Amino acid sequence: MNTYARLPVTFSHGEGCRLTDINGKTYLDALSGIAVNTLGHNHPALVKAIAEQAGRMLHVSNLYGIREQEQLADRLCALSGMSEVFFCNSGCEANEAAIKLARFYGHQQGIDSPVIIVMEKAFHGRTLATLSATGNRKAQAGFEPLVSGFVRVPYNDLAAIRAVAEHNKNIVAVMLEMVQGEGGINIATNEFQGGLRQLCDEKGWLLMCDEVQCGMARTGTWFGFQHAGILPDVMSLAKGLGSGVPIGACLTSGRAAGLFKPGNHGSTFGGNPLACTAALTTLATIEADALMARAVVAGAAIREGLAAALVGNKGIVDIRGKGLMIGIELDRPCGELVARALDAGLLINVTAEKVVRLLPALVITDAEIKELVERLSTLIRDFLSA
Ligand SMILES: *Cc1c(COP(=O)(O)O)cnc(C)c1O
């Protein structure tokens, strides 16, 4: 189906942050499949682990014990401080699990019509419930009736959430991204996150962090909420978790743990041995190669490099980000930069109409950073002066 406005390029293979198309032209990949290829392309450790796992066993049902899944759950819980994991295959599925969990939790508290607070400009996925939670009217248009049970508030506005709580007794949870990706690289302040944690404790709500894009070491900590020193009740992961092999996860702790019993939720493919091996290898490689620290250093180098190269250009509204989640906001719609960059051998993305978004692999080298800064700043300068 015609669900994507595809760019006129088809790739045949990749290496690190480089992709080569079927005509032999190479590109610097600053998007990583939208924050998916955590370890870049063709990472030897990942290729080896996947090949070996494929030679042992690809899939068995969740009706049986799955050792790779148990190991991955243990690792994710140890790294996050969460206590349970449900595995699925994508971000929207991880959020669907979170939404079902919040409703289930509400019903157990005697709330028959549970409501989840969500943010303006949020992106949580394209299934009906996650689309309803998403704060983008364009994406929702034509798919009404949307799923009920969501109220929307401005991002980073604790007072707005308190105000909603005043007149709505059915609230059971707050769901948000710690850094909004599709919404334009908007960062939840540590004060907001801390205040939310406190408010959720006060009210008995679940704090649900959608870490599908900002998780997996991309912002310089394993998960985005760790910058604020808080622990959510629910966390969703996907995108970078398997470095390109599809896998999602919904983790719980505290009052959200222990809610689901056999029969309440499930997934045929979720957490199969191949996907879990890819995720275990991704985690191990991030750790072995100190890629969290690398995300901090590389992200700062890119932001500072762009700021220096673009200084004095009036069309630049803001250059912001956390680690390797970077947004360059312009004063005008700049979608056409994507095709211009492609021509110049650079893969970038534009989101929220005016924000150039960079999500390079955590293995990006210093030379690639230099090249990215030079090429992108030239493209932006030319675009702004045209
Ligand atoms: C991409 C994304 C999703 C949806 O993930 P899919 O795997 O495409 O379903 C959900 N939440 C956030 C924050 C995302 O960036």
Side-chain angles (χ1 to χ4, degrees), residues 51-320:
E52 286 175 1
Q53 183 58 50
R56 281 192 296 274
M57 167 171 75
L58 287 174
H59 174 85
V60 287
S61 169
N62 279 302
L63 295 170
Y64 311 109
I66 302 176
R67 197 169 47 181
E68 297 81 2
Q69 187 183 116
E70 290 165 16
Q71 287 169 350
L72 179 58
D74 285 346
R75 284 299 291 139
L76 287 173
C77 288
L79 296 171
S80 64
M82 308 294 283
S83 50
E84 291 183 336
V85 192
F86 167 77
F87 287 105
C88 50
N89 315 286
S90 66
C92 59
E93 276 177 88
N95 288 331
E96 284 277 346
I99 291 164
K100 278 183 70 174
L101 218 113
R103 287 187 166 196
F104 206 61
Y105 171 73
H107 282 279
Q108 297 193 354
Q109 316 275 307
I111 298 174
D112 295 333
S113 300
V115 169
I116 300 170
I117 294 178
V118 290
M119 304 293 138
E120 288 175 5
K121 297 187 187 172
F123 184 82
H124 298 300
R126 300 279 197 167
T127 59
L128 268 177
T130 59
L131 180 68
S132 305
T134 289
N136 179 342
R137 271 303 302 153
K138 262 197 214 160
Q140 293 171 338
F143 299 105
E144 298 84 357
L146 297 173
V147 174
S148 62
F150 296 100
V151 292
R152 198 167 304 283
V153 297
Y155 198 55
N156 273 327
D157 189 345
L158 204 60
I161 296 176
R162 286 191 185 278
V164 166
E166 289 284 305
H167 58 81
N168 194 328
K169 299 298 164 211
N170 291 328
I171 308 232
V172 295
V174 181
M175 181 161 153
L176 78 162
E177 298 148 88
M178 303 338 246
V179 180
Q180 290 184 329
E182 307 303 307
I185 312 294
N186 309 310
I187 301 168
T189 64
N190 286 350
E191 300 74 61
F192 181 56
Q193 294 184 45
L196 258 183
R197 179 65 277 176
Q198 234 176 350
L199 185 60
C200 286
D201 286 339
E202 203 178 291
K203 303 278 188 190
W205 301 341
L206 304 183
L207 177 56
M208 310 207 293
C209 295
D210 179 348
E211 298 258 357
V212 167
Q213 191 163 151
C214 65
M216 292 303 293
R218 178 156 289 281
T219 69
T221 50
W222 280 108
F223 310 106
F225 65 78
Q226 289 171 329
H227 289 284
I230 60 164
L231 185 67
D233 302 296
V234 181
M235 165 169 74
S236 45
L237 292 174
K239 289 202 167 89
L241 178 56
S243 267
V245 176
I247 178 169
C250 178
L251 293 86
T252 57
S253 75
R255 58 178 79 90
L259 289 174
F260 280 165
K261 300 283 187 292
N264 290 139
H265 201 47
S267 164
T268 297
F269 289 125
N272 83 19
L274 184 77
C276 289
T277 295
L280 277 165
T281 308
T282 302
L283 294 173
T285 307
I286 289 172
E287 206 153 45
D289 296 352
L291 295 181
M292 265 190 297
R294 179 64 192 156
V296 174
V297 172
I302 293 169
R303 288 194 302 276
E304 285 160 20
L306 288 171
L310 292 167
V311 72
N313 278 269
K314 288 197 175 52
I316 308 286
V317 174
D318 193 18
I319 299 174
R320 59 176 175 264

Side-chain angles (χ1 to χ4, degrees), residues 14-16 39-48 281 285 289 291 363:
E15 190 70 44
L39 305 180
H41 303 281
N42 197 28
H43 192 287
L46 186 60
V47 172
K48 181 166 179 282
T281 308
T285 307
D289 296 352
L291 295 181
V363 297

